[in-house]
Amino acid sequence: MNLFSSIANFFSPPSKTKPFDGLSGMELADALLYNLVTEDRVPGISTTILKEGRTLLQKGYGLADIDNKVPIDPKQTIFRIASISKCITGLALGKMIEDGILDFDDSFYKHVPYYPKKKFEFTLRQLAGHTAGIRGYRGKEFAMNEPYSIKDGLDMFKNDPLLFEPGKGYLYNSFDFVLLSLAMQEASGVPFEVYVYKNVLVPLEMHQTFAEPSQVDVGQQSQNYTKTSAGFKRAITVNNFYKLAGGGYLSTSVDIAKLGQAVLERKLLKPETYKELLTAQTVNGKSTYYGLGFQVSQDSNDDPFLGHVGSSVGAYTNLFVYPEEQLVIANLINCTDPKVQEQLDLVINAFTHLHS
């Protein structure tokens, strides 16, 4: 680039946002997502939206790598998917149940007898539904950069008491899924990531979903950012492998939409297994709005959805599945919680039409 073109670029007006007047459906969603990047709300976002199995919108907005100006490709760009990982784990748990390896109501200690004994025992169902009483992150634990195995990860919390009697409370956290994945690994005799790969990712043709960044082609992996007053900067380096089951997987929006479509079509598992996974747990007679690895909740319009919202270092993610609408919405953002859920809800509302 020569001096004159540099000067021209410097003085050229910034990219204009798109107006919403008169827009609806896909055009409105496209404008909303475009504006999130144009207004510097996010570095980049990948979206895939399916209706009755057909692709309505599949597009990348913004950049996977700001410094090198690498655009986002919804089929190829790999993001951290954060807690959408719990949905993958839920399906793997269901498969183990069907294969007779585990039972939902097995005591955790049946499979991991070496875990320090607590005042109460707790079950795999309670771990998967966040009602086991295990504590959440403290301090910087969410941002560890240690090459821990799943078993190594226990050292952070294994000696802490339960916060409540299992089944008598609800606390959403990722340590539940560290324990769950360890029980699954011990019961099957197969490394957790290997079991998931063979029994969930391959059957669902999620070929761009990975357990570790080292498995990803460097050119396909998005950089991870955090937002500052001065713009976006590279997020700190973290190693999420020990909590793979709860927040460690990497994927594309296309693959995450495949996951949502599989849930919609009840692929992979039997209807009765899906019923277990997708029924909200109750505590003291009240719904937790969480099944087993899946949120079973309501969106901003109070419409019921299945799926998960995820937030981790360098990532913010949505998987929303609407059975009545036969609709799947997958949005992946390469930035630590950028506070844009309200805008993502408007994207969702553009497609649901439940209140039109």
Side-chain angles (χ1 to χ4, degrees):
M1 183 180 289
N2 62 37
L3 175 63
F4 294 106
S5 59
S6 297
I7 293 172
N9 283 343
F10 183 81
F11 286 106
S12 63
S15 300
K16 291 183 178 180
T17 58
K18 292 182 179 180
F20 302 144
D21 296 348
L23 300 184
S24 63
M26 186 167 65
E27 290 181 339
L28 175 58
D30 181 66
L32 286 161
L33 294 167
Y34 173 87
N35 287 355
L36 282 177
V37 171
T38 303
E39 295 168 356
D40 290 327
R41 303 288 299 278
V42 300
I45 183 167
S46 177
T47 189
T48 298
I49 300 176
L50 309 177
K51 175 80 170 181
E52 297 175 347
R54 293 178 297 103
T55 302
L56 292 185
L57 181 62
Q58 186 180 96
K59 193 170 179 180
Y61 302 82
L63 299 173
D65 183 330
I66 294 171
D67 293 338
N68 295 303
K69 300 206 166 22
V70 177
I72 286 172
D73 179 340
K75 293 181 179 179
Q76 299 294 327
T77 307
I78 308 293
F79 294 74
R80 291 174 179 160
I81 65 169
S83 287
I84 295 175
S85 302
K86 293 181 175 75
C87 301
I88 294 174
T89 301
L91 296 182
L93 175 63
K95 191 74 173 69
M96 283 197 183
I97 300 294
E98 290 186 358
D99 289 347
I101 298 170
L102 297 170
D103 187 276
F104 284 119
D105 296 310
D106 281 350
S107 168
F108 172 73
Y109 290 100
K110 176 180 178 180
H111 305 290
V112 190
Y114 51 82
Y115 190 74
K117 291 294 188 286
K118 306 302 175 188
K119 184 176 180 180
F120 303 98
E121 292 198 16
F122 47 89
T123 67
L124 304 185
R125 181 191 299 277
Q126 289 166 338
L127 288 171
H130 304 295
T131 64
I134 306 299
R135 73 168 177 85
Y137 295 131
R138 291 176 184 162
K140 299 286 182 68
E141 288 175 343
F142 71 94
M144 300 292 290
N145 187 30
E146 301 290 341
Y148 289 157
S149 67
I150 295 171
K151 190 182 290 187
D152 292 338
L154 304 188
D155 290 343
M156 273 183 278
F157 60 91
K158 69 181 182 182
N159 293 319
D160 296 317
L162 298 179
L163 298 182
F164 49 80
E165 182 180 343
K168 298 294 179 67
Y170 172 84
L171 179 65
Y172 176 81
N173 71 92
S174 283
F175 289 155
D176 276 335
F177 274 66
V178 176
L179 294 178
L180 181 62
S181 60
L182 182 58
M184 294 167 71
Q185 184 167 277
E186 295 284 22
S188 66
V190 178
F192 173 78
E193 69 276 14
V194 173
Y195 185 89
V196 170
Y197 174 76
K198 291 181 176 178
N199 292 279
V200 178
L201 302 183
V202 170
L204 297 185
E205 299 183 354
M206 295 174 64
H207 303 307
Q208 294 290 83
T209 302
F210 304 98
E212 297 182 73
S214 61
Q215 299 171 333
V216 182
D217 184 306
V218 173
Q220 296 179 328
Q221 191 168 352
S222 175
Q223 295 296 329
N224 305 298
Y225 296 96
T226 56
K227 192 172 184 181
T228 70
S229 56
F232 298 106
K233 69 173 185 178
R234 292 279 181 94
I236 59 172
T237 302
V238 296
N239 187 323
N240 292 326
F241 182 76
Y242 81 93
K243 58 178 179 182
L244 178 61
Y249 274 98
L250 304 100
S251 190
T252 63
S253 69
V254 168
D255 264 17
I256 296 306
K258 285 182 183 178
L259 173 65
Q261 190 65 26
V263 173
L264 201 58
E265 297 179 11
R266 301 297 193 260
K267 288 182 180 176
L268 197 70
L269 303 175
K270 299 172 183 176
E272 55 267 31
T273 307
Y274 268 112
K275 185 176 181 181
E276 293 276 9
L277 299 178
L278 303 177
T279 298
Q281 305 299 291
T282 56
V283 170
N284 301 323
K286 294 182 179 179
S287 176
T288 64
Y289 297 100
Y290 200 95
L292 305 177
F294 290 84
Q295 287 177 250
V296 184
S297 193
Q298 295 173 323
D299 66 14
S300 60
N301 272 338
D302 295 328
D303 294 317
F305 76 91
L306 310 168
H308 229 292
V309 173
S311 183
S312 68
V313 174
Y316 187 78
T317 62
N318 278 187
L319 170 61
F320 282 58
V321 179
Y322 293 85
E324 289 186 12
E325 298 279 313
Q326 291 289 293
L327 183 69
V328 175
I329 297 176
N331 287 313
L332 305 181
I333 295 172
N334 54 351
C335 181
T336 305
D337 188 4
K339 307 293 188 240
V340 295
Q341 188 61 52
E342 187 175 339
Q343 286 72 30
L344 296 179
D345 288 341
L346 293 175
V347 172
I348 292 166
N349 294 344
F351 287 97
T352 55
H353 303 300
L354 295 177
H355 290 272
S356 58

